[in-house]
Amino acid sequence: MTTTATLTDTRTFEEKLDLFAQVAVNVGLGLKPGQELVMTAGLETLPLARRITEQAYKAGASLVTTLLTDDAMTLARYEHASTESFDYAAKWLYDGMAAAYASGAARLAIAGGNPELLSKQDPDKVGRANRAVSQAYRPALELITRHAINWTIVAAATPAWAASVFPGEAPDAALAKLWEAIFKASRVDGADPVKAWKEHDANLHTHAARLNEKRYSALRYRGPGTNLELGLADDHLWLGGGGTAKNGYYCVPNIPTEEVFSMPHKDRADGVVTATKPLSHLGTMIEGIQVRFEKGRIVEAKATRGQEVLQKLIDTDAGARHLGEVALVPHSSPIASSGLIFSNTLFDENAASHIAMGQAYISCMKDGDKLTDEEQVAKGLNQSLIHVDWMIGSSELDIDGVTATGTAEPLMRGGEWV
Ligand code: ZN
Ligand code: ZN
């Protein structure tokens, strides 16, 4: 791989990769001496996986175990396996992962697979295989979603992903460009990336804390094609950046992360909102989304492209027409300023202020996990099988916070924090 030619600063590609691995292990994971690490990675992400392994041992890891997957082997199953095969998952493996986490192991995932790997495969087989894995993975995933352990996700550039982000570029050039974009978005291009991350993380916490203190009852959005009042759930919490897992270790679960996010009230959105970026959903691009809300429900949905997919999406179930997440991201964040569509949630969800249709995060409600389902819903939590984020932020978006007494205070102007 020849990537040094496109570097904009004096560090070599190998040096940047090493710094990125340091950020992944020391900031993302917060790996502690003596802790085990379970890593999952695609074969094409090996250069980063090896660096992370080195850094993990340098940080005192007792053992690094990496589970590798290969695209060609995944496709071989779709081509040659019996139809019954697609209801199977390696339960023993996921049980083993759950056992590892339960006994104190940290978890790192390297994302960056081919976003279209399965786009030509039988959707029924893809759906069944996903379901089988979801079921088998549930015990392990629960430890992660309950934040029982320190965990993180980082991304590595791969040829197929690079080709989809930079179509028309030669493969080597596309790969080099994607790596550069990942380094920049992951804040490893500065003088001291670990220090930069500590500052950035503190900054996200400051914004979240300020919003939690304000206890706004709603946000008001104004911009081209957007005039929306979005109510926040009762006892909503703003979250952002890293947190301390139940095992006592501090981690930043997503590298990069730029969002400060909370829970909208499912029945309290009114007005019109227009997407500022296309939404890549299940291999289809949905462009020019504009929806109108009445009492939290989407009553009108248009798209200049992919209208049918959008319509199917909001018809998934009753909750698909209501909001489950609201997130604020300044327009000057490194991902937004790259102007790229990564077709990868880790990046695209951090590219701009966004909202999500569908399921809400219970962590965004104070003591929400102690409430019954009915109590959660009564406070405004939305339930759905989907959770689909789409971007509404831009340099032209103004956002006000509306207090319980109806006073509007400027929160963001021209896409930036006030
Ligand atoms: Zn989000
Ligand atoms: Zn989301």
Side-chain angles (χ1 to χ4, degrees):
M1 187 167 50
T2 52
T3 47
T4 36
T6 62
L7 293 185
T8 48
D9 60 64
T10 52
R11 284 191 192 118
T12 65
F13 173 74
E14 298 300 328
E15 285 167 337
K16 288 188 180 188
L17 201 60
D18 208 50
L19 281 171
F20 189 26
Q22 286 179 36
V23 165
V25 170
N26 300 314
V27 178
L29 270 185
L31 193 77
K32 285 291 170 297
Q35 201 179 12
E36 254 190 74
L37 171 60
V38 176
M39 175 157 61
T40 51
L43 262 191
E44 281 162 333
T45 70
L46 268 184
L48 178 62
R50 286 181 176 140
R51 291 296 172 124
I52 288 174
T53 304
E54 273 176 40
Q55 291 299 335
Y57 282 122
K58 282 185 185 170
S62 59
L63 181 67
V64 180
T65 304
T66 303
L67 305 165
L68 291 168
T69 49
D70 174 52
D71 287 356
M73 292 186 196
T74 302
L75 289 176
R77 184 184 184 196
Y78 282 87
E79 194 162 337
H80 304 293
S82 69
T83 48
E84 300 84 67
S85 157
F86 295 91
D87 296 319
Y88 283 93
K91 188 164 185 328
W92 55 270
L93 177 68
Y94 298 108
D95 285 346
M97 287 168 93
Y101 304 153
S103 69
R107 155 95 170 115
L108 186 145
I110 301 182
N114 179 353
E116 303 196 24
L117 181 67
L118 300 177
S119 63
K120 294 194 183 84
Q121 304 305 320
D122 176 0
D124 178 57
K125 288 180 181 174
V126 176
R128 281 162 56 204
N130 272 340
R131 208 169 310 129
V133 168
S134 299
Q135 271 165 12
Y137 191 43
R138 194 170 290 160
L141 187 64
E142 218 188 78
L143 291 167
I144 295 169
T145 51
R146 280 199 291 116
H147 215 173
I149 59 159
N150 47 331
W151 62 279
T152 198
I153 307 177
V154 298
T158 59
W161 182 22
S164 85
V165 181
F166 299 102
E169 291 275 358
D172 269 8
L175 191 62
K177 277 191 167 178
L178 183 55
W179 267 122
E180 277 309 297
I182 291 171
F183 290 147
K184 218 176 224 132
S186 307
R187 295 170 185 265
V188 293
D189 58 341
D192 185 343
V194 171
K195 189 167 157 241
W197 263 100
K198 298 250 149 93
E199 286 168 9
H200 174 52
D201 186 40
N203 209 4
L204 292 173
H205 281 273
T206 305
H207 285 300
R210 196 172 55 124
L211 288 162
N212 283 328
E213 218 169 89
K214 289 284 186 184
R215 305 236 46 85
Y216 289 123
S217 74
L219 301 184
R220 202 170 281 162
Y221 294 77
R222 264 168 290 112
T226 291
N227 191 347
L228 176 73
E229 176 135 343
L230 185 157
L232 295 165
D234 306 348
D235 292 331
H236 67 271
L237 271 183
W238 288 91
L239 302 173
T244 304
K246 296 205 173 76
N247 64 6
Y249 301 155
Y250 190 91
C251 66
V252 180
N254 285 196
I255 302 281
T257 182
E258 301 288 336
E259 61 174 343
V260 174
F261 60 100
S262 192
M263 190 190 293
H265 192 294
K266 68 182 178 61
D267 298 324
R268 290 183 47 220
D270 284 280
V272 177
V273 60
T274 301
T276 49
K277 285 172 196 284
L279 164 64
S280 161
H281 182 72
L282 298 177
T284 309
M285 277 291 187
I286 312 177
E287 286 173 23
I289 300 176
Q290 186 174 69
V291 304
R292 192 163 63 81
F293 287 95
E294 265 178 31
K295 294 198 169 83
R297 186 171 183 271
I298 294 177
V299 292
E300 229 178 278
K302 297 187 281 196
T304 52
R305 193 181 149 201
Q307 163 105 38
E308 241 170 76
V309 184
L310 177 65
Q311 198 59 47
K312 267 208 185 100
L313 196 61
I314 63 175
D315 287 339
T316 309
D317 53 24
R321 281 177 184 263
H322 296 256
L323 294 176
E325 185 193 338
V326 51
L328 303 175
V329 178
H331 186 68
S332 57
S333 83
I335 303 171
S337 33
S338 78
L340 295 171
I341 305 289
F342 285 87
S343 299
N344 178 305
T345 319
L346 187 57
F347 290 81
D348 294 331
E349 210 200 334
N350 284 297
S353 288
H354 54 270
I355 48 179
M357 303 175 291
Q359 181 65 42
Y361 298 121
I362 188 62
S363 52
C364 289
M365 183 175 275
K366 196 167 163 242
D367 295 326
D369 52 0
K370 294 182 186 123
L371 303 175
T372 63
D373 273 19
E374 292 73 26
E375 288 168 332
Q376 293 169 0
V377 169
K379 285 177 187 256
L381 176 137
N382 192 40
Q383 292 176 321
S384 172
L385 286 172
I386 66 160
H387 176 100
V388 178
D389 300 281
W390 49 285
M391 305 300 133
I392 61 171
S394 74
S395 62
E396 296 173 290
L397 186 67
D398 291 343
I399 305 174
D400 285 348
V402 183
T403 65
T405 53
T407 317
E409 299 176 353
L411 257 190
M412 286 185 134
R413 284 293 176 267
E416 302 301 327
W417 291 109
V418 170

